Amino acid sequence: MTHVTLRSEFETLIDPYAPVGQVGTGFDFTEGPIWHPVDHYLLFSDMPGDVRRRWDARRGVVEVKRPANKCNGMTYDAELNLIVCEHATSSLIRERPDGRREVLASHFGGQELNSPNDVCVHSSGAIYFSDPWYGRMPVYGVERPRQLGFQGVYRVVPGSEPQLVVERNLFDQPNGLCFSPDEKLLYVNDTVQALIRVFDVAADGSLGNARVFASGIKSELEPGLPDGMKCDQHGNVWVTAPGGVWVYSPRGELLGKVRVPELVANLAWGGPDFRMLYLTATHSVYAIPTKTGPRHEPYMSGKRGGAGASSSAAAPILTDGEMRLDPQRCAMIILDLQNDVVMDGGAFAESGAPVHARQQNVIENVRRLAEVARGRGVAIIHVWFVVEPGAPGVTLNAPLFEGLVDSKALVRGSWGAAPVSGLEPRPGDFVVEKMRMSAWEGTKLETILKATGRDMIINTGAWTNMSVEHTARTGADKGYFMIVPEDCCSTMNADWHNASVNFAMQNVAVVTKAETVIRALG
């Protein structure tokens, strides 16, 4: 089956000949796909059959819950509790891994909700869900009168009452909804009106400035209407539609169409690297490889019960040459980029370090990467080698430390100890001081990482074969994922640099380039 390219950007997201693989069939009507990021399986619902199933590559399809209260949309929260829209109970439910069941929302203004249909979770922990009345129809729910006189979209913070966040009569049947990558926008589609609306998300979680993002999502020739919807890492919107899935750019331009043999109800990315798009269709579930992945959602960090990242949490993975990194798990370390180290006139200028730093364009590359990283929410940690006058406490057990003392280098308060121009700390950055090669030895680095929940380290700075390499080795031993953009590092000369990045660090870090890291951060 050939997918339909309408704009060239479409083929950067998916191969036009990407195979459509059937992973299971024989169901009544499948919905609600969601991928478990730690245990690597797909959950999906079958509303008419009143059953929930799971699929993984080892066991195939197995039944996990019957009856399932005609469940529809599902997702996870940041602690990997399952959030479920139930048609039969008109409720939004949280199921904890130990089986405990909690009702998050069931009424609004003293009246029963219609039937929660689809759901997404904001990084704040607030949950947004749509409430059409499909679950009060036969087959897809339990036929019964409606109590509310409208179909809304709600925001609920667990433990509080749901808040209506759209005008009561704006939607006929609100259905799929998803956030943009930066969570500044919420997209909500309407199955009856065959369109997608977009809202601005305010700091308090309310929605405003409603406008139509895309319309006319229907066809007289093929079945299919807006239903499930997801946003990818680049801000493109993927929505079920006639013939399969239509893909819109962040500007609302229709880029192309993913063709599927059956009417598609919903979609979700999964797989170890979140590059497999799973689609729940009428009687089957399909899987299609893509070149892009989803916008990062809170559950994708793979944490259970508020604890640290699981040992099975997704590592930085290269797929088809593209890396994906969760900015909320990342810290960027800027090591030893101080005047004495890499500047002409510095204490170590005769080592060749300033020349190699220029050859690597290391100051500008690190500055640019840090600027992007800050904007994505990455923790920036400056690590400086600083000694007091006379270098008390510095042992003379290695030529490196002997040279430091003899050169009277990196003395607190001196020009030589200061960061190079352009790499000064910004508000919100951290500063760590050390007196050894590794950023870990005798410092507060790990305290900062633990406190901020960071387990992926973008390792940049001076002395590739010493400070950078030692920091990468120790970080790997401690269980951190180490990423080294080699064009953000420099040392005395290219030979020492290449020996480190091409050999020594290959088994302890992902060695890459600044531009790859920038793309990976979304």
Side-chain angles (χ1 to χ4, degrees):
M1 175 171 289
T2 304
H3 309 299
V4 180
T5 300
L6 299 177
R7 290 177 178 262
S8 60
E9 301 97 301
F10 182 70
E11 296 188 10
T12 68
L13 307 176
I14 185 171
D15 189 310
Y17 299 99
V20 181
Q22 189 182 73
V23 301
T25 192
F27 313 121
D28 292 324
F29 187 88
T30 61
E31 252 286 6
I34 185 66
W35 182 263
H36 197 289
V38 174
D39 296 331
H40 302 298
Y41 60 79
L42 184 79
L43 276 186
F44 61 98
S45 57
D46 185 340
M47 289 178 293
D50 198 15
V51 61
R52 184 187 306 162
R53 297 183 174 90
R54 61 175 279 176
W55 173 88
D56 63 64
R58 183 174 63 87
R59 295 197 299 167
V61 177
V62 296
E63 185 176 302
V64 295
K65 190 175 182 64
R66 182 195 293 265
N69 291 325
K70 302 269 186 171
C71 63
N72 191 342
M74 297 185 287
T75 191
Y76 294 104
D77 64 17
E79 297 179 358
L80 294 184
N81 301 302
L82 185 65
I83 310 298
V84 186
C85 296
E86 293 186 348
H87 279 188
T89 65
S90 296
S91 299
L92 183 73
I93 300 297
R94 176 164 60 188
E95 293 182 6
R96 297 195 180 274
D98 62 7
R100 284 180 292 155
R101 169 188 167 91
E102 305 165 67
V103 177
L104 298 178
S106 60
H107 290 72
F108 177 73
Q111 304 294 309
E112 275 189 349
L113 296 170
N114 296 311
S115 55
N117 188 89
D118 207 355
V119 59
C120 59
V121 178
H122 189 270
S123 60
S124 67
I127 300 168
Y128 293 71
F129 65 95
S130 58
D131 187 44
W133 64 280
Y134 291 123
R136 292 177 180 259
M137 298 179 183
V139 180
Y140 300 105
V142 176
E143 189 172 11
R144 61 205 190 278
R146 284 177 278 169
Q147 295 186 14
L148 289 175
F150 62 93
Q151 290 70 244
V153 177
Y154 297 87
R155 174 183 183 269
V156 63
V157 175
S160 63
E161 293 297 312
Q163 301 172 324
L164 181 67
V165 288
V166 300
E167 294 180 13
R168 289 181 177 230
N169 299 314
L170 186 60
F171 289 95
D172 285 326
Q173 293 282 29
N175 202 324
L177 70 173
C178 59
F179 287 105
S180 61
D182 60 7
E183 296 186 327
K184 293 181 179 179
L185 302 173
L186 180 72
Y187 299 92
V188 185
N189 67 46
D190 190 312
T191 302
V192 172
Q193 296 177 18
L195 55 73
I196 302 169
R197 288 188 173 88
V198 62
F199 302 81
D200 294 335
V201 182
D204 63 358
S206 61
L207 304 183
N209 191 26
R211 63 264 191 206
V212 173
F213 173 76
S215 60
I217 309 174
K218 57 185 178 180
S219 171
E220 296 181 358
L221 304 176
E222 293 180 296
L225 286 164
D227 192 338
M229 185 166 60
K230 294 291 186 294
C231 203
D232 71 21
Q233 66 188 100
H234 305 296
N236 303 297
V237 176
W238 300 55
V239 61
T240 66
V245 175
W246 293 8
V247 182
Y248 289 88
S249 77
R251 298 174 298 280
E253 304 158 330
L254 183 57
L255 302 180
K257 302 178 180 181
V258 180
R259 307 289 293 174
V260 183
E262 300 178 58
L263 184 149
V264 179
N266 213 330
L267 65 154
W269 272 279
D273 58 358
F274 283 98
R275 285 296 190 278
M276 187 66 73
L277 185 64
Y278 291 94
L279 303 108
T280 48
T282 307
H283 304 300
S284 308
V285 176
Y286 294 92
I288 305 175
T290 62
K291 298 179 182 179
T292 187
R295 82 107 184 167
H296 180 80
E297 299 194 44
Y299 77 89
M300 292 176 183
S301 295
K303 297 182 179 180
R304 296 187 192 272
S310 162
S311 61
S312 300
I317 295 173
L318 284 170
T319 302
D320 296 330
E322 186 174 0
M323 180 188 287
R324 297 181 62 252
L325 295 173
D326 173 5
Q328 299 304 312
R329 291 174 61 186
C330 288
M332 178 178 172
I333 295 179
I334 303 174
L335 273 163
D336 296 349
L337 283 177
Q338 297 160 264
N339 291 323
D340 266 344
V341 179
V342 295
M343 297 301 292
D344 291 322
F348 302 121
E350 292 185 5
S351 70
V355 173
H356 190 242
R358 288 194 293 272
Q359 291 171 348
Q360 287 286 97
N361 197 30
V362 69
I363 296 171
E364 175 56 24
N365 289 344
V366 171
R367 186 204 62 77
R368 184 168 63 94
L369 178 54
E371 194 70 26
V372 172
R374 282 189 193 93
R376 302 288 191 274
V378 173
I380 306 298
I381 305 174
H382 304 261
V383 181
W384 298 334
F385 202 124
V386 179
V387 300
E388 304 300 332
V394 176
T395 58
L396 303 180
N397 62 312
L400 173 72
F401 303 128
E402 291 177 357
L404 171 78
V405 174
D406 291 343
S407 302
K408 297 181 175 57
L410 300 169
V411 175
R412 185 183 304 281
S414 69
W415 170 84
V420 299
S421 177
L423 293 180
E424 299 87 354
R426 303 281 186 85
D429 292 359
F430 297 92
V431 174
V432 170
E433 295 184 358
K434 62 176 180 134
M435 291 199 302
R436 313 307 286 171
M437 282 184 283
S438 171
W440 304 94
E441 187 64 32
T443 76
K444 61 183 180 181
L445 175 60
E446 193 157 26
T447 300
I448 294 170
L449 295 172
K450 295 292 187 185
T452 56
R454 313 290 169 150
D455 65 346
M456 294 181 176
I457 298 176
I458 303 164
N459 194 17
T460 72
W463 307 131
T464 314
N465 57 312
M466 291 182 283
S467 295
V468 176
E469 184 179 319
H470 281 248
T471 298
R473 289 179 180 278
T474 304
D477 275 344
K478 288 176 172 287
Y480 291 87
F481 298 112
M482 305 301 298
I483 303 104
V484 178
E486 67 88 15
D487 53 351
C488 290
C489 306
S490 66
T491 186
M492 290 91 69
N493 56 60
D495 288 342
W496 281 110
H497 176 84
N498 292 335
S500 184
V501 300
N502 292 336
F503 298 99
M505 280 195 281
Q506 288 294 322
N507 289 322
V508 295
V510 174
V511 179
T512 183
K513 298 280 189 179
E515 194 57 43
T516 301
V517 176
I518 288 171
R519 289 197 303 270
L521 292 171

